[in-house]
Amino acid sequence: MAVDYAVIVLYLAGMLAMGWWGMRRAKSKSDFLVAGRRLGPAMYSGTMAAIVLGGASTIGGVGLGYRYGLSGAWMVFTIGLGLLALSVFFSARIARLKVYTVSEMLDLRYGGSAGIISGVVMWAYTLMLAVTSTIAYATIFDVLFGLDRSLSIVLGGAVVVAYSTLGGMWSITLTDMVQFVVKTIGVLLLLLPIAVIKAGGFAEMRAQLPDDYFAPLGIGGQTVFTYVLIYSFGMLIGQDIWQRVFTARSDKVARLGGTAAGTYCLAYALAGAVIGTAAKVLYPHLGSPDDAFATIVKDALPVGVRGLVLAAALSAVMSTSSGALIACATVAHNDIWARVKGIAAMRRKPDPGDSGAAPTADGAGERAEAPDEVRGNRAFILLMGLAVIVIALALNNVVEALTLAYNVLVGGLLVPILGGLLWKRGTAAGALASVAVGGLTVIGLMVSLGVLANEPIYYGLLASLVAYVGVSLATPPTDAAVLAAWRARLAGHSDGVPEGEPESDTAGSVASALRPPSAAGRA
């Protein structure tokens, strides 16, 4: 195992080195949170694929293949479908908004009154996503070094928190590119063909296993439908995903690079299911399906290759964990803490131009940021990282925690976000009602029916939609100036004024709508 240990240690050291190098590039808030919005297609697609394909997609995807056969690919497949939908239909518009968070988008669209509640929901989701990714270190380090669960969580979490805190999105982008390459080589090019060969090839696999293992819907049609609702729609609205869209240097990069990443996810989904199916032939009586990945890696691969494949699994977990961590810290600092400070500032000095609230955006040129902006966001990454490690040490059921996070996210935020992008009659009151009713319905049904039940997300989405449409139609339309500013921003005019439009009362109203949320609400 010495060679395997050396591969892993070098890999972890490389991640820390990338963090240090990224720190030298993170000179502004834009650099730190969205890599300066400068990523080209190759780097953008690689990092996007890295963040969406985490431990659940790798270890869990192989486990589903072990249990259900080829139809076990559906969970990761729906993630890829969601990313494709986001990239083709929404990413260009999202990239042109030049914001940092989903809540800032809601403020722009609805006039500055929907962001803080959505910020709390998004913060809870990203926090739990980071926690579940961190817990996955325990499985990998147990296989690698025989470490106990707590030490594994602390070790893996410390590395991610360190490089994320040092360089922010630049460090995470660099490490994600390395992780994407390692994951591609380790899982697709090495483990997949070796596993199939060890199992005797596809003909032998079909002979050894029931026909259900090769049926497209062997996992169950209702399960596939639930995956679409949770994971495909979750891809459309998650802060961790949107924050990567914000890193694209143009809307064309966001669209084409995201499409490439989504296509990669589809191939990765099928690879995980095939590996799990091969593991079922080789080890038919494992105690848990989730042990299939570690078992086939440990027993079927030669020295050195085993270390690289385990590094690939570690890459999958680290990429999702770091992406969720910076998303969590960005929401906590910019959507919650900045607004709390803004409210306090308003009470001390009620000046509409000096609220201290989170700005809606920085404009195409990204206004010069004070060093405090970078220091503040760096401090929040460190703080949230420590919180994630502590919660991960105390939490045991990963599946329930992840399901809870996705259910609340999709049930509470899907309708007001997509409604804001697609329906101009949607109002701030409708958005707030949708978040509250959808979120509470999901939570209430999970309490009564169980976290893993399918019904909470079904009825939560329906309740959220009814509340959004009903309240929006029952309340006055969104102010025309706010909608004008929103349309201008969607068109790529970062100052909120369409090109060639003279400065007039309308332009003044638009500028007012683009003030910080609290000021816009009073204007």
Side-chain angles (χ1 to χ4, degrees):
M1 292 291 289
V3 176
D4 295 327
Y5 292 163
V7 171
I8 299 300
V9 170
L10 286 174
Y11 170 77
L12 293 176
M15 295 300 99
L16 293 174
M18 292 282 186
W20 181 262
W21 191 82
M23 182 176 67
R24 300 168 62 88
R25 301 198 63 169
K27 303 298 184 183
S28 69
K29 178 181 178 181
S30 174
D31 288 335
F32 193 80
L33 295 182
V34 290
R37 306 189 198 274
R38 294 201 296 268
L39 298 192
M43 187 166 282
Y44 176 86
S45 59
T47 57
M48 181 64 86
I51 187 176
V52 300
L53 297 174
S57 300
T58 304
I59 299 171
V62 172
L64 287 172
Y66 182 89
R67 184 175 179 184
Y68 298 106
L70 298 186
S71 67
W74 272 110
M75 183 187 79
V76 184
F77 205 81
T78 55
I79 290 174
L81 292 178
L83 185 53
L84 283 172
L86 174 71
S87 301
V88 172
F89 299 112
F90 300 108
S91 64
R93 282 183 281 180
I94 292 170
R96 287 196 293 265
L97 289 174
K98 301 294 187 202
V99 295
Y100 290 112
T101 68
V102 174
S103 295
E104 289 178 10
M105 168 263 170
L106 291 172
D107 279 333
L108 278 171
R109 169 60 181 81
Y110 294 111
S113 57
I116 191 163
I117 295 178
S118 65
V120 172
V121 174
M122 191 64 75
W123 172 79
Y125 156 72
T126 52
L127 179 70
M128 294 311 298
L129 183 61
V131 167
T132 55
S133 301
T134 302
I135 292 174
Y137 296 130
T139 301
I140 299 170
F141 282 112
D142 177 53
V143 175
L144 288 173
F145 307 118
L147 299 179
D148 68 32
R149 178 181 183 276
S150 297
L151 187 57
S152 298
I153 289 172
V154 172
L155 176 60
V159 172
V160 170
V161 171
Y163 74 68
S164 301
T165 302
L166 286 172
M169 186 59 83
W170 267 122
S171 294
I172 293 171
T173 296
L174 294 170
T175 55
D176 277 359
M177 275 305 297
V178 174
Q179 289 159 357
F180 171 74
V181 172
V182 171
K183 194 159 35 180
T184 301
I185 294 173
V187 175
L188 295 183
L189 301 184
L190 292 176
L191 183 57
L192 174 60
I194 290 174
V196 172
I197 292 170
K198 290 280 187 180
F202 282 103
E204 182 65 20
M205 291 162 61
R206 289 193 70 95
Q208 292 285 337
L209 297 172
D211 290 341
D212 286 349
Y213 267 71
F214 302 91
L217 294 177
I219 197 171
Q222 187 181 29
T223 299
V224 173
F225 181 65
T226 303
Y227 284 162
V228 170
L229 289 182
I230 295 177
Y231 296 113
S232 295
F233 287 154
M235 289 296 104
L236 298 180
I237 59 175
Q239 169 68 25
D240 51 325
I241 310 302
W242 278 42
Q243 199 156 343
R244 295 309 174 95
V245 176
F246 300 150
T247 65
R249 72 180 177 211
S250 68
D251 52 10
K252 184 177 180 181
V253 168
R255 185 171 58 253
L256 297 181
T259 301
T263 304
Y264 178 90
C265 291
L266 303 183
Y268 199 89
L270 186 59
V274 171
I275 292 168
T277 304
K280 182 66 175 179
V281 173
L282 295 169
Y283 318 102
H285 304 297
L286 291 179
S288 168
D290 286 340
D291 293 337
F293 179 85
T295 303
I296 197 168
V297 169
K298 193 172 183 179
D299 294 348
L301 300 183
V303 172
V305 174
R306 179 171 51 210
L308 183 61
V309 174
L310 287 171
L314 195 59
S315 297
V317 176
M318 282 187 161
S319 57
T320 298
S321 180
S322 59
L325 176 59
I326 193 171
C328 177
T330 301
V331 171
H333 183 256
N334 294 277
D335 290 337
I336 299 176
W337 176 244
R339 293 167 193 271
V340 170
K341 288 199 304 180
I343 292 171
M346 285 169 54
R347 289 175 177 172
R348 291 194 305 270
K349 183 180 179 180
D351 180 358
D354 185 28
S355 70
T360 54
D362 288 337
E366 301 293 356
R367 67 177 176 82
E369 296 289 348
D372 286 348
E373 288 284 355
V374 175
R375 285 197 295 267
N377 282 287
R378 181 174 282 133
F380 264 79
I381 289 181
L382 179 59
L383 180 64
M384 292 297 104
L386 294 175
V388 164
I389 292 173
V390 170
I391 296 171
L393 290 171
L395 197 63
N396 287 317
N397 197 316
V398 180
V399 176
E400 288 195 359
L402 189 61
T403 302
L404 173 65
Y406 268 101
N407 279 354
V408 173
L409 171 74
V410 175
L413 292 182
L414 178 69
V415 170
I417 291 173
L418 293 188
L421 289 169
L422 301 174
W423 190 42
K424 67 179 182 180
R425 185 61 179 82
T427 66
L432 290 172
S434 178
V435 173
V437 172
L440 291 175
T441 300
V442 165
I443 293 172
L445 289 175
M446 283 192 293
V447 170
S448 61
L449 300 177
V451 173
L452 300 180
N454 292 324
E455 289 80 4
I457 190 62
Y458 298 164
Y459 293 113
L461 273 174
L462 179 61
S464 179
L465 178 62
V466 170
Y468 181 71
V469 174
V471 174
S472 291
L473 293 176
T475 53
T478 303
D479 184 85
V482 173
L483 286 179
W486 168 253
R487 287 193 294 269
R489 187 65 67 87
L490 281 178
H493 308 302
S494 59
D495 58 358
V497 182
E499 225 175 276
E501 181 174 314
E503 290 293 332
S504 63
D505 292 341
T506 300
S509 299
V510 168
S512 173
L514 287 175
R515 292 176 190 163
S518 55
R522 293 194 305 274

